[in-house]
Amino acid sequence: MSTGIGSNGQTKLIRVPKTAELIADQLRSRIVRGVLKKGDALPTEVELVKQFGVSRPTLREAFRILESESLIVVRRGSRGGVLVSSPETSVAARSFGLLLQMSGTTLADLYAARKVLEPAAVEMLTQRKAPADVVDLKSAAGALAVLVNDGVDDADFHEWSAATFAFHDLIMERSGNNTIALVGAVLREVTTRHMARAVTTSTDHAEIEKQFKATIRAFTKLTNLIESGDAAGAKEFWTTHMDRAGRNMLWGDLANETVIDLFV
Amino acid sequence: MSTGIGSNGQTKLIRVPKTAELIADQLRSRIVRGVLKKGDALPTEVELVKQFGVSRPTLREAFRILESESLIVVRRGSRGGVLVSSPETSVAARSFGLLLQMSGTTLADLYAARKVLEPAAVEMLTQRKAPADVVDLKSAAGALAVLVNDGVDDADFHEWSAATFAFHDLIMERSGNNTIALVGAVLREVTTRHMARAVTTSTDHAEIEKQFKATIRAFTKLTNLIESGDAAGAKEFWTTHMDRAGRNMLWGDLANETVIDLFV
DNA sequence: ACCAATTTGTACGTATGTATC
DNA sequence: GGATACATACGTACAAATTGG
């Protein structure tokens, strides 16, 4: 049952891909072409070993490659096996984060890029808004307001941040442009991993609470502008809001801090 | 690795990390923290096996993981071994391309996102331009002009496209924003892989040549606007140029074609 | 053309986790 | 709740391919 993989000895110039990569390519091809859909189970290891005519360690190396791309998840146990999964944004965020990290990108640089994308998304969203979009935006803004107003005593800043980011994500999602939504999600995820630390190291609770309340007002105002269909006004308002929020968030050293410590 | 933000509600998120992943995490940590720099050689397999106290198959699985992130390259042979490498944009482009592909993103959608980023980059570049930037832009535009004017007889459209994309990349690179440059490079790479096919399948050579000559004129005009420091004008011109170029490039079915066939 | 160093691939055995009866 | 069957996880040992001197 040889697929003719190991019998090539003539081509020396081209880099011969490792067998595990070839197996991973074949499996990935089945997945992305839709032959295998999300949730489907692949045959067992022994079955695949027979199908591809390779050994088990080689097949397992292929599994690790696809697993690192989050195209599959491997569960052990009686009902275990290999399941097809959907690629998560976290994978792209990780590889992109590595890229940012190795090139010494600062947080201010990263935020500046988001300041370009989000106002554009706001403009698009306003132009194509559906009633459901406005409802959901109000709901997301309301969720943050509930958290901040009710939870003053035992404030969970991580929870507040999560609600804030959810609103930002919603804007990108509903922009109507899938690419912008995905890029925004990736950049936002990289930002989040830094902000989680920044928010906890800050001790001025009153100041933080004040900023979050300003954020809630900004969310409300933006939602109103979107609802009224004022695309230019919404875009301009969001530009100034992100500019102001960025100055408050990226104080001092944090702005010039490079994207690091994401994967240590 | 996995952040556990699964859209999958039912799956157990308590994922026991496999030893290969743990080894990969440790090695990755050494690399990104700068303990191991690009070009450095890791110990041999047998040495690492002794260091980590795992078996060779397990260690090799860790190699495959890091290799898929292009953090290492493994050469075989007498002077072979594991070398530390820098992550390439192609890795991020691949994971991001998978994301686009699985979510059924169209080429028109992808191009629309680039129409947001590039004009913003043009504006930034104009505001912060150094003399060298203008020189290099002129050089890049001139390179395309030479190719198109001299090579009419045996036109190599792939070469022409490469020169065109080089100009686009240069704009993003010199925008002063590293994040935008990297995002632009990733999106551009995904676009390229499709365009390479589209350009070859088209047979109307005269029409293609006409479009490329229009592109050269646009490059020249943009360079002049940047040189004169007219940020708003440059941004507006580039918006209209990309709009027009997009309509010419994404004719008919191609616009609604989804991002596919990248990894089959 | 040989040889040494190194990764690559194979084979089999044991351990461990998970669902089902 | 415990025994059991099934599937992956991991380890040891060995043969083959590749590269550089």
Side-chain angles (χ1 to χ4, degrees):
Chain A
M1 191 67 79
S2 164
T3 50
I5 293 170
S7 59
N8 55 343
Q10 295 181 348
T11 51
K12 289 171 73 177
L13 291 176
I14 58 170
R15 169 180 120 78
V16 46
K18 301 171 183 43
T19 317
E21 292 177 2
L22 296 175
I23 303 298
D25 287 344
Q26 291 195 40
L27 289 174
R28 175 170 39 237
S29 173
R30 292 189 195 176
I31 295 175
V32 297
R33 282 195 318 206
V35 181
L36 297 171
K37 295 173 187 172
K38 179 185 176 182
D40 285 357
L42 270 69
T44 65
E45 277 190 1
V46 279
E47 185 64 31
L48 288 171
V49 160
K50 281 194 289 186
Q51 267 189 38
F52 288 112
V54 297
S55 71
R56 202 135 108 196
T58 304
L59 181 64
R60 286 167 51 82
E61 289 180 24
F63 283 171
R64 295 293 92 77
I65 294 175
L66 296 174
E67 219 173 26
S68 80
E69 298 167 357
S70 82
L71 279 172
I72 61 172
V73 287
V74 182
R75 291 183 324 191
R76 58 191 300 187
S78 154
R79 273 300 207 207
V82 183
L83 294 179
V84 176
S85 163
S86 289
E88 303 169 5
T89 57
S90 61
V91 179
R94 210 180 54 156
S95 61
F96 199 81
L98 273 173
L99 220 52
L100 292 173
Q101 178 170 347
M102 300 299 262
S103 53
T105 306
T106 64
L107 286 183
D109 186 289
L110 178 58
Y111 194 80
R114 294 182 56 210
K115 277 199 295 189
V116 168
L117 282 174
E118 291 208 19
V122 163
E123 188 179 26
M124 290 173 159
L125 168 56
T126 308
Q127 286 163 349
R128 66 170 294 282
K129 69 171 192 303
D133 296 325
V134 178
V135 171
D136 292 341
L137 283 172
K138 283 181 179 174
S139 169
L144 175 62
V146 167
L147 283 177
V148 173
N149 290 329
D150 290 5
V152 177
D153 297 331
D154 56 342
D156 186 346
F157 292 142
H158 284 99
E159 210 176 21
W160 296 10
S161 290
T164 304
F165 288 135
F167 188 87
H168 284 257
D169 277 351
L170 191 60
I171 291 173
M172 314 287 263
E173 274 175 28
R174 302 300 174 84
S175 69
N177 186 280
N178 207 355
T179 307
I180 288 182
L182 289 174
V183 171
V186 166
L187 296 187
R188 214 263 306 133
E189 189 162 332
V190 175
T191 310
T192 305
R193 300 177 83 138
H194 272 81
M195 285 309 151
R197 204 180 48 187
V199 132
T200 48
T201 53
S202 175
T203 50
D204 193 346
H205 283 206
E207 177 63 23
I208 290 182
E209 191 183 325
K210 186 181 158 193
Q211 285 179 24
F212 269 105
K213 292 201 170 175
T215 301
I216 295 172
R217 286 195 299 274
F219 285 1
T220 307
K221 182 167 182 183
L222 179 72
T223 308
N224 289 334
L225 283 169
I226 290 174
E227 189 172 20
S228 72
D230 182 4
K235 180 183 183 183
E236 189 184 346
F237 172 71
W238 201 239
T239 302
T240 57
H241 164 67
M242 288 199 70
D243 207 47
R244 182 164 43 82
R247 278 199 304 274
N248 286 332
M249 239 162 62
L250 300 170
W251 68 92
D253 296 334
L254 196 59
N256 294 325
E257 193 173 319
T258 55
V259 176
I260 53 166
D261 296 338
L262 287 177
F263 318 102
V264 288
Chain B
M1 198 143 194
S2 86
T3 51
I5 314 173
S7 54
N8 214 344
Q10 276 193 343
T11 55
K12 269 194 172 179
L13 296 179
I14 318 169
R15 198 160 101 42
V16 280
K18 301 174 180 47
T19 32
E21 292 176 0
L22 296 175
I23 303 299
D25 288 344
Q26 291 196 44
L27 288 174
R28 175 170 39 239
S29 173
R30 292 189 196 176
I31 295 174
V32 297
R33 298 183 82 140
V35 181
L36 297 171
K37 295 172 187 173
K38 179 185 176 181
D40 285 357
L42 270 68
T44 65
E45 279 191 0
V46 279
E47 185 64 32
L48 289 170
V49 160
K50 280 193 292 185
Q51 265 187 41
F52 289 113
V54 295
S55 73
R56 206 146 52 197
T58 303
L59 181 65
R60 290 185 48 199
E61 290 180 24
F63 283 172
R64 296 292 92 78
I65 293 176
L66 296 174
E67 218 173 26
S68 80
E69 298 167 359
S70 83
L71 279 172
I72 61 170
V73 286
V74 182
R75 291 182 327 193
R76 54 192 302 187
S78 84
R79 276 296 188 202
V82 182
L83 294 179
V84 177
S85 162
S86 289
E88 304 166 4
T89 57
S90 61
V91 179
R94 220 175 60 139
S95 61
F96 199 79
L98 271 174
L99 221 51
L100 293 174
Q101 178 170 348
M102 300 297 270
S103 52
T105 306
T106 64
L107 286 182
D109 186 288
L110 177 58
Y111 194 80
R114 293 182 57 211
K115 278 199 296 189
V116 168
L117 282 174
E118 291 208 20
V122 163
E123 187 179 26
M124 290 172 159
L125 167 56
T126 309
Q127 286 164 348
R128 66 171 294 283
K129 70 172 192 302
D133 295 326
V134 178
V135 172
D136 292 341
L137 283 173
K138 283 182 180 174
S139 168
L144 175 61
V146 167
L147 282 177
V148 174
N149 290 328
D150 290 4
V152 176
D153 297 330
D154 55 341
D156 186 346
F157 291 142
H158 284 101
E159 211 175 22
W160 295 11
S161 291
T164 305
F165 288 134
F167 187 88
H168 284 257
D169 278 350
L170 191 60
I171 290 173
M172 314 286 264
E173 274 175 28
R174 302 299 174 85
S175 69
N177 186 281
N178 206 358
T179 307
I180 287 183
L182 288 174
V183 172
V186 166
L187 295 187
R188 214 264 305 133
E189 189 162 332
V190 176
T191 309
T192 305
R193 300 177 82 141
H194 272 82
M195 285 306 150
R197 206 181 47 188
V199 134
T200 47
T201 53
S202 175
T203 50
D204 193 346
H205 284 206
E207 176 63 22
I208 290 182
E209 190 184 326
K210 185 180 156 194
Q211 285 179 23
F212 269 105
K213 291 202 171 174
T215 300
I216 295 172
R217 286 194 300 274
F219 284 1
T220 307
K221 182 166 181 184
L222 179 72
T223 307
N224 290 334
L225 284 169
I226 290 174
E227 188 172 21
S228 72
D230 183 4
K235 180 184 182 181
E236 189 184 345
F237 171 71
W238 200 239
T239 303
T240 57
H241 163 69
M242 288 199 71
D243 207 47
R244 181 164 42 81
R247 276 199 305 273
N248 286 332
M249 237 162 62
L250 299 170
W251 69 93
D253 296 335
L254 196 59
N256 293 325
E257 192 173 318
T258 55
V259 176
I260 53 166
D261 295 338
L262 288 176
F263 318 102
V264 287

